[in-house]
Amino acid sequence: MERIKEDERDSPMHDVPIEARARAYLAGTLTLADLCALERAELYELAEHGRRVGGQGQLADAQQIFEALVVLDPYDPFFHTALGAVYTQRGDEERALREYDRALAIDNGHLPALVNQAELFVGQQRWEDVTRNLTRVFA
């Protein structure tokens, strides 16, 4: 992936001095992605790459990518859901459920997290939790 030249970026963070971004990051009002002036498009390009490598069976690489994305932007439910899916594929249901919970804490109607979590609940025979999730999906 070719790096976008500085003058081609549309991120408003590039117009904010690094010192101001650092203060805002330390105050908890910016994500690490904002501090680094990464654009949403760049984050989602990385997520797409993670999806591709995961689909090719390179689950350790996909895990690293999505773990980095949740650090860069912990407020994006998609990144948590994708990381949960990788954990599920790797057989780590506990960590997967934790990531789905994080996604749902950000967006309680995030359909991929609700469905993926419900699938795990089916395997665990947690029928009340399955019903709760699927009710939210079809509401």
Side-chain angles (χ1 to χ4, degrees):
M1 170 173 55
E2 185 177 327
R3 188 93 174 133
I4 300 171
K5 295 177 189 159
E6 188 68 30
D7 59 336
E8 294 175 345
R9 293 178 179 271
D10 61 5
S11 172
M13 287 294 120
H14 286 281
D15 297 333
V16 178
I18 187 68
E19 296 84 8
R21 284 184 285 173
R23 280 192 302 276
Y25 175 74
L26 293 172
T29 59
L30 287 183
T31 66
L32 183 57
D34 293 330
L35 173 65
C36 297
L38 295 172
E39 296 178 31
R40 302 293 318 151
E42 291 175 302
L43 297 175
Y44 278 92
E45 282 180 37
L46 185 55
E48 177 58 25
H49 179 67
R51 188 197 62 75
R52 273 194 312 274
V53 300
Q56 297 168 350
Q58 300 168 7
L59 296 177
D61 292 343
Q63 180 178 329
Q64 283 186 310
I65 289 168
F66 288 111
E67 284 175 344
L69 285 167
V70 298
V71 169
L72 287 166
D73 186 354
Y75 305 110
D76 190 314
F78 173 75
F79 299 153
H80 289 284
T81 301
L83 181 56
V86 171
Y87 287 150
T88 297
Q89 290 178 300
R90 298 197 80 187
D92 193 342
E93 291 185 7
E94 184 178 318
R95 288 172 82 182
L97 288 171
R98 205 172 20 235
E99 290 305 320
Y100 297 141
D101 283 341
R102 288 178 178 145
L104 293 168
I106 297 163
D107 175 0
N108 67 2
H110 189 67
L111 293 178
L114 286 167
V115 171
N116 290 358
Q117 190 179 57
E119 279 186 40
L120 287 178
F121 291 154
V122 167
Q124 297 173 349
Q125 298 183 352
R126 294 172 54 180
W127 306 118
E128 288 180 27
D129 292 325
V130 172
T131 302
R132 182 197 68 229
N133 278 38
L134 295 181
T135 300
R136 289 167 61 191
V137 167
F138 295 109

